[in-house]
Amino acid sequence: MANAEEKAGALPRQPTLPRRAAVVVIGGGVIGCSIAYHLGRANRSGVLLLERQQLTSGTTWHAAGLIGQLRPSVNMTHLARYTRELYDQLEAETGQATGYRRCGSVSLATNEERFEELKRSASMAKVFGLEVQVLTPGAIKGRVPLLNTDDVLGGIHIPTDGYANAVDITQALAKGARNAGVRIVENAPVTAIRTAKGRVTGVATAHGEVDADCVVLCAGMWTRDLAASIGVNVPLHACEHYYALFESVEGLNPDFPVVRDYDACTYYKYDAGKLLVGAFEPEARPWGADGIPEDFSFDEIAGSFDHFEPILHGAMARLPALERAGIQKFFCGPESFTPDVRYHIGQAPEYGNCFVAAGLNSIGLQSAGGIGKVVSDWISAGHPPADLWEVDVRRNMPFQRNRKYLRERVSESLGLLYATHFPHRQFETARGVRRSPLHDRLVAAGACHGEAAGWERPNWYAQPGTTPRYEYSYGRGNWFERTAAEHRGVRTQVGLFDQSSFAKFRLEGRDAAQVLNRVCTNNVDVRPGRIVYTQWLNERGGIEADLTVTRLGEDSFLVVTAAATEVRDFHWLKSHIPPDARCVLTNLTSGLGVISLMGPNARALLQSLTPADLSNEAFRFATSREIELGHALVRASRITYVGELGWELYIPTEFAAGVYDEITAAGDAFGLVQAGYHALDSLRIEKAYRHWGHDITDEDSPLEAGFDFTLKFDKPGGFIGREAVLRQREQGLAKRLVQFKLSDPEPLLHHNEPIWCGDQIAGYIRSGNYGHTLGGAIGLGYVTGSLAADPSEIESAAFEIEVAGVRIPALASLTPFYDPQNRRVRC
């Protein structure tokens, strides 16, 4: 390889750097070059890319080169599809060879659950017009004769998938960037990032300093430590990644498609007359925990043939011609992986002019085009061009940069790329990081815990004498009936939820009300003791947060939001406090446990434990006050996310276990059930309560989501996004959120299922669960077109929801199927 030869040759000349740049991109792999290319195409002047050694010398050079488009979600598939379209024309545009070949791909299923996943993915692809064909074993064998399909149940074929040479793609992007005026400097390692007054001001290199208006960190596996040097949290860790190159494979020809044998953790790719066999093994080997050598460049690592050998045996069973072929090359190189197997992109919450694009989980080449486009657009516009929450760097919690945690977690992360993406699948490594003060008591009660933002949270409760362990399924898992019992217990009696993972912030000071009222759509300038449900919008009218604000006193407020958005929402509010405002924002999350009592018997149970008057007349819905409970003083907030009478109890952490003991000791007389997050979700979806990140995002407006009642257009000072929402109201809606119920009680909805109206796709399901009270699967999704503009015919229209290729009739409603008049909530 030319670059490797250059590495061994004469020392490079010392580069001359500009004194100033508008944007400094750190890292010359495929991601950095794609960002530079897209900034150049957007006519952004003053872009400088700095590469520590030579372009592609980190991990890009050894990428397998697969170009796949079908990802687990709609927006990630959009990015991958854009990448393929970009590579389609990149060689013609730049004159630089890319090695891109559209050969199609075939993915195999050897069990029913995998086949269900693939068929659901094929259905999702119809939402945006990606051609995906479901294949029988015979059709797979006809398309790829080299494969042994004896154990194959079926699969999918994507004709427009393919592969490319990662080095050539990167060089083509670099050439396109240079043609657009971007300056690329190799052999210029960044030694420090300079900051001042809460902003990044530039970079220091071995050859001088460069002032910058914006810095983008896309240095691959070096990004974590580089970011940490200025306090930016980018949790990732390198792992060994393996492939073998076989020569003289009998029957191999250039038309061989990319083959993914997910259940065997293996992929196959034609490579210049040879066959590349790669792996995503379930138990990976972390690498570089003690740091990556400074001179690491175009290097391999030793790896372990014993570790890779089981993959080879499986490959020979799938493709018998390999038994007679020779291994030309056994390769092991590092790739960086993230804790949740989703990459990190976007604006760092710690510095407004620092951006991140790293942690690509071995799918960098097939993601690079889309990442370059959205990061470039984000830098230019000051906001993300689409809903990118699932890969937004703001989802990360501070603890996740802990090296012990990362080392344990990424040993699992690598293999999860090829694992079946079961609904509710839980991580098995690095567990027990954040525990509520009730954790041990909930374990004793039979809780099967899941994880969210590091929190251990009870998802469901096992029957006494049984083990609380998931048996995953796309159908009715082993928790289905247990969740149904919890659900019914809440609807008919009373349920206890541990919601200590709520993110909880306190804003206090003379200007607190004014600051919050500008951020919130609803009016939070209410009397102390009132709870206000509200959204936070961006300037385009999209929903940035969905939460409650409780006025504690004249100058103090409690903001309660989801565990997953703790960093994002704290950052959003903090960034919208004017510098001269007299108020202070504090994160109280760790200081308060939360017990929710929900159901028609909630008042009676709670009243038996407190001298406070909990009658409807004395304690109305959406009010909050401090009460005595057990030996504690507890903030009781009458609010609900399940559609029943109930209270959330905010308890100082050290008192939480004692309060729990008081409640459970008295609970039997009132039919108390312990309930988990699966029941919480099935209860809320019956009531059509929205979930931020699924049903509502920063691309959805409150008018589209049905939140007209939270919009207080006439309050003093207005609110962020007001003008955009008013314009939308005048122009009419292009989509509208609708609740659906399948007419067949057997199928399940999860998310991303297409919504059909006649012979047209009208949208897709954003979130789904089973409605145990309603007797069928319930989904929330936006419908588009004429039905959104004139919703009068929505409830009478003939809708179908496609589940794994089968269309199922569905009822539609703009009001909740369950208790549309809110009588149970306000009784």
Side-chain angles (χ1 to χ4, degrees), residues 69-335:
Q69 300 166 86
L70 193 55
R71 311 303 305 158
S73 71
V74 171
N75 275 354
M76 292 303 100
T77 302
H78 278 308
L79 295 193
R81 188 178 185 185
Y82 170 83
T83 298
R84 191 270 299 169
E85 292 168 350
L86 172 66
Y87 295 171
D88 240 347
Q89 53 81 37
L90 192 58
E91 185 170 332
E93 175 194 333
T94 64
Q96 166 71 45
T98 61
Y100 176 71
R101 178 176 172 81
R102 190 190 298 188
C103 62
S105 70
V106 173
S107 297
L108 310 179
T110 59
N111 59 69
E112 292 291 352
E113 296 288 0
R114 177 71 71 178
F115 201 19
E116 175 82 2
E117 178 184 15
L118 293 180
K119 288 186 288 186
R120 283 177 173 266
S121 296
S123 291
M124 181 189 74
K126 296 176 184 177
V127 172
F128 38 84
L130 177 64
E131 183 183 358
V132 180
Q133 303 162 358
V134 178
L135 301 180
T136 64
I140 293 170
K141 184 69 173 179
R143 191 172 292 278
V144 197
L146 286 175
L147 297 182
N148 172 11
T149 59
D150 290 348
D151 62 337
V152 173
L153 301 183
I156 59 174
H157 170 56
I158 305 177
T160 53
D161 278 356
Y163 59 83
N165 183 298
V167 172
D168 290 343
I169 287 283
T170 306
Q171 293 294 350
L173 290 167
K175 185 174 181 180
R178 291 187 182 101
N179 291 344
V182 174
R183 184 170 179 191
I184 297 176
V185 181
E186 298 177 285
N187 300 300
V190 171
T191 56
I193 301 172
R194 294 167 32 228
T195 63
K197 298 180 180 179
R199 291 182 63 80
V200 170
T201 60
V203 299
T205 79
H207 311 297
E209 296 186 347
V210 180
D211 295 336
D213 299 323
C214 174
V215 171
V216 190
L217 309 180
C218 41
M221 56 189 171
W222 289 271
T223 304
R224 182 193 69 199
D225 292 344
L226 184 62
S229 70
I230 56 169
V232 171
N233 184 28
V234 186
L236 55 85
H237 196 295
C239 285
E240 297 177 357
H241 188 48
Y242 294 86
Y243 62 73
L245 198 61
F246 285 82
E247 59 184 353
S248 304
V249 179
E250 184 179 345
L252 183 66
N253 64 67
D255 294 328
F256 187 87
V258 172
V259 175
R260 295 178 177 88
D261 188 0
Y262 291 114
D263 298 320
C265 313
T266 312
Y267 63 88
Y268 305 83
K269 187 202 80 167
Y270 179 85
D271 193 307
K274 303 175 182 62
L275 188 70
L276 186 149
V277 179
F280 289 98
E281 65 277 18
E283 295 183 16
R285 289 160 53 98
W287 180 83
D290 298 325
I292 301 166
E294 282 296 319
D295 62 348
F296 191 90
S297 173
F298 297 111
D299 285 324
E300 301 179 30
I301 53 182
S304 166
F305 189 82
D306 289 343
H307 180 76
F308 188 62
E309 191 173 19
I311 297 292
L312 285 180
H313 287 306
M316 290 176 181
R318 176 67 61 215
L319 211 153
L322 294 181
E323 295 180 0
R324 300 178 297 277
I327 296 181
Q328 183 193 59
K329 175 72 173 176
F330 168 67
F331 178 84
C332 179
E335 296 271 2

Side-chain angles (χ1 to χ4, degrees), residues 517-528:
N517 232 15
R518 175 63 182 159
V519 173
C520 297
T521 59
N522 214 331
N523 187 2
V524 299
D525 193 4
V526 293
R527 72 175 186 270

Side-chain angles (χ1 to χ4, degrees), residues 259-566:
V259 175
R260 295 178 177 88
D261 188 0
Y262 291 114
D263 298 320
C265 313
T266 312
Y267 63 88
Y268 305 83
K269 187 202 80 167
Y270 179 85
D271 193 307
K274 303 175 182 62
L275 188 70
L276 186 149
V277 179
F280 289 98
E281 65 277 18
E283 295 183 16
R285 289 160 53 98
W287 180 83
D290 298 325
I292 301 166
E294 282 296 319
D295 62 348
F296 191 90
S297 173
F298 297 111
D299 285 324
E300 301 179 30
I301 53 182
S304 166
F305 189 82
D306 289 343
H307 180 76
F308 188 62
E309 191 173 19
I311 297 292
L312 285 180
H313 287 306
M316 290 176 181
R318 176 67 61 215
L319 211 153
L322 294 181
E323 295 180 0
R324 300 178 297 277
I327 296 181
Q328 183 193 59
K329 175 72 173 176
F330 168 67
F331 178 84
C332 179
E335 296 271 2
S336 56
F337 288 81
T338 65
D340 57 6
V341 212
R342 291 178 277 150
Y343 42 80
H344 300 316
I345 64 173
Q347 187 178 33
E350 297 85 357
Y351 297 95
N353 62 336
C354 180
F355 286 77
V356 173
L360 273 298
N361 304 293
S362 201
I363 56 171
L365 185 68
Q366 61 188 294
S367 306
I371 291 175
K373 179 71 165 61
V374 297
V375 172
S376 170
D377 290 349
W378 199 332
I379 292 169
S380 298
H383 59 78
D387 170 30
L388 299 171
W389 169 239
E390 62 190 289
V391 292
D392 193 319
V393 72
R394 291 174 293 173
R395 75 187 185 278
N396 296 306
M397 299 294 144
F399 79 87
Q400 291 182 298
R401 64 173 173 258
N402 177 285
R403 296 185 186 215
K404 183 176 187 292
Y405 166 84
L406 284 171
R407 188 167 56 251
E408 293 176 9
R409 173 55 61 83
V410 297
S411 68
E412 178 183 11
S413 295
L414 182 147
L416 290 177
L417 278 173
Y418 273 26
T420 305
H421 297 90
F422 286 112
H424 312 300
R425 181 164 190 147
Q426 301 297 320
F427 291 102
E428 297 179 0
T429 54
R431 292 292 299 268
V433 176
R434 303 174 82 181
R435 299 181 179 182
S436 92
L438 310 178
H439 181 79
D440 291 345
R441 284 165 168 78
L442 302 180
V443 169
C448 183
H449 281 87
E451 184 211 348
W455 284 99
E456 293 294 317
R457 308 197 307 186
N459 279 347
W460 55 281
Y461 288 82
Q463 287 183 309
T466 63
T467 301
R469 180 182 298 119
Y470 275 97
E471 297 172 9
Y472 295 112
S473 174
Y474 271 98
R476 286 163 165 72
N478 64 319
W479 65 91
F480 186 85
E481 292 302 331
R482 297 302 303 153
T483 293
E486 296 165 20
H487 179 115
R488 296 186 189 106
V490 174
R491 288 277 185 250
T492 61
Q493 298 175 97
V494 59
L496 182 153
F497 298 90
D498 174 23
Q499 294 188 279
S500 300
S501 62
F502 274 153
K504 302 164 280 276
F505 315 141
R506 184 182 180 108
L507 186 70
E508 55 189 332
R510 291 175 57 184
D511 294 334
Q514 181 180 349
V515 168
L516 263 178
N517 232 15
R518 175 63 182 159
V519 173
C520 297
T521 59
N522 214 331
N523 187 2
V524 299
D525 193 4
V526 293
R527 72 175 186 270
R530 291 291 296 171
I531 306 169
V532 179
Y533 174 57
T534 187
Q535 287 75 49
W536 294 349
L537 307 185
N538 53 48
E539 294 288 357
R540 304 168 309 286
I543 300 171
E544 291 285 343
D546 178 66
L547 42 78
T548 62
V549 175
T550 302
R551 190 162 200 169
L552 304 177
E554 189 64 27
D555 297 331
S556 60
F557 295 81
L558 177 67
V559 177
V560 179
T561 187
T565 57
E566 178 183 340

